[in-house]
Amino acid sequence: MLEKNITGVRETVKAWRSEGLSVGLVPTMGYLHEGHKSLIDRAVRENDRVVVSVFVNPMQFGPAEDLETYPRDIEADCRLCRAAGADVVFHPEVSEMYPKNFTSFVDTTGVTEELCGKSRPVHFRGVCTVVSKLFHIVTPDRAYFGQKDAQQLAVIRRMVRDLNINVEVVGCPIIREADGLAKSSRNTYLSAEERQAALVLSRAVNAGKELIARGETDGDAVLQKMKALIEAEPLAKIDYVEMVRRDTMEIHRTVDEPVLVALAVYIGKTRLIDNFIWE
Ligand code: PAF
């Protein structure tokens, strides 16, 4: 099940292909939770074979971010993958993915300018580079990404379209805890008090949705309401709360076409994201 080498994955996929089997890929950074499991479950349903990649990609972390402390537990990840019916866990070393003198990058512009792209300037170049490497290594028919990282999903769709990569990108719904907090590996950073405070993200999402459902089309009014709610939580600090066009990620403050309302909020030192799409 566990494969650390690129050549090993390639040989396995080649053998599957020779039997005419379809292949699904679930790219992850590990420390898998119910959100990842929902992606793996769907990949297992829709493909003959499934590869889950587990790789904490240094290239997508900024210098002051949490690369060193990002939670890791490959044994638990393999157990979850096996139980969910995945066939291979691809878990390369950093040196396997980025050998010495690695100098090639995939950079998707425009769609990366706002939201997380603005607050995390190197992030999407790292994501696009590693995801396109994974696409080349695994050559999947379908690849599965969570809607929680809504901008990432839009960026990957754009990269796949622009570079004619032969893969179907499948977006999957946000999975939440019973109390509404979106599942994230970073939730493990939260103290009990912060975990409670973190509910402000899903509360803001619900407040924004309700306002639009009641007929509000003024984006500024929606964002103001959401921001006021978050600002009332002493442990929360807003990185952004923004409304953008669903596909291009351009700022758009009127609900007259499909929009993404996305937020990033620090709870203590932990940066959490959440969003909803209004269609
Ligand atoms: O969403 C993630 O976990 C990562 O950004 C991804 C897509 C696996 C690339 O490292």
Side-chain angles (χ1 to χ4, degrees):
M1 141 127 322
L2 184 64
E3 179 57 73
K4 293 184 83 81
N5 300 317
I6 292 169
T7 45
V9 177
R10 285 214 157 118
E11 275 160 24
T12 304
V13 172
K14 199 171 160 198
W16 291 340
R17 292 293 186 202
S18 71
E19 293 174 53
L21 301 175
S22 63
V23 180
L25 169 67
V26 183
T28 81
M29 296 209 298
Y31 216 71
L32 304 179
H33 50 66
E34 289 292 315
H36 298 110
K37 188 175 172 297
S38 73
L39 306 183
I40 301 170
D41 288 342
R42 176 139 182 215
V44 168
R45 281 200 303 276
E46 295 180 353
N47 301 273
D48 298 315
R49 296 288 182 270
V50 170
V51 177
V52 179
S53 63
V54 173
F55 180 62
V56 182
N57 174 33
M59 202 188 279
Q60 69 188 71
F61 288 78
E65 293 183 357
D66 56 343
L67 172 62
E68 296 311 323
T69 52
Y70 196 85
R72 293 159 167 91
D73 187 347
I74 189 63
E75 270 131 47
D77 290 346
C78 285
R79 280 198 297 278
L80 185 147
C81 288
R82 195 175 289 115
D87 299 277
V88 167
V89 174
F90 176 44
H91 179 50
E93 297 292 337
V94 173
S95 57
E96 178 79 355
M97 291 298 271
Y98 301 121
K100 216 164 154 235
N101 297 330
F102 184 96
T103 52
S104 304
F105 303 92
V106 180
D107 209 354
T108 302
T109 58
V111 74
T112 55
E113 257 161 45
E114 303 295 339
L115 312 179
C116 291
K118 201 173 206 167
S119 9
R120 304 183 70 190
V122 298
H123 179 64
F124 286 117
R125 186 169 98 145
V127 170
C128 288
T129 302
V130 81
V131 170
S132 61
K133 280 175 70 76
L134 290 167
F135 286 170
H136 282 106
I137 294 165
V138 180
T139 61
D141 297 283
R142 292 173 204 86
Y144 297 79
F145 298 89
Q147 181 61 43
K148 185 171 81 73
D149 295 287
Q151 189 177 19
Q152 169 170 282
L153 183 55
V155 169
I156 288 167
R157 285 193 198 284
R158 179 65 62 85
M159 174 185 84
V160 162
R161 190 207 68 177
D162 287 356
L163 301 182
N164 307 99
I165 303 176
N166 196 14
V167 61
E168 182 191 336
V169 175
V170 182
C172 302
I174 299 178
I175 303 294
R176 297 181 181 279
E177 303 285 355
D179 60 7
L181 180 66
K183 300 243 183 197
S184 163
S185 306
R186 289 191 168 98
N187 291 350
T188 52
Y189 295 149
L190 301 170
S191 68
E193 197 190 354
E194 289 170 342
R195 172 67 184 73
Q196 218 25 53
L199 292 178
V200 77
L201 278 91
S202 51
R203 280 213 308 275
V205 160
N206 290 337
K209 261 191 215 167
E210 270 166 34
L211 211 53
I212 299 178
R214 287 208 302 270
E216 182 60 81
T217 54
D218 177 3
D220 287 313
V222 175
L223 299 179
Q224 241 169 46
K225 166 97 187 176
M226 294 171 69
K227 282 182 188 168
L229 212 149
I230 299 166
E231 278 159 3
E233 168 51 62
L235 294 183
K237 191 170 154 279
I238 293 175
D239 179 4
Y240 65 75
V241 182
E242 194 50 274
M243 184 180 286
V244 295
R245 295 184 204 272
R246 186 196 53 195
D247 300 325
T248 63
M249 303 283 118
E250 294 163 293
I251 305 287
H252 185 69
R253 300 265 178 83
T254 314
V255 190
D256 57 354
E257 62 172 277
V259 288
L260 166 74
V261 179
L263 54 153
V265 176
Y266 285 93
I267 302 291
K269 287 200 170 87
T270 306
R271 185 176 175 280
L272 300 176
I273 57 175
D274 204 338
N275 68 76
F276 67 95
I277 285 179
W278 191 266
E279 298 188 280

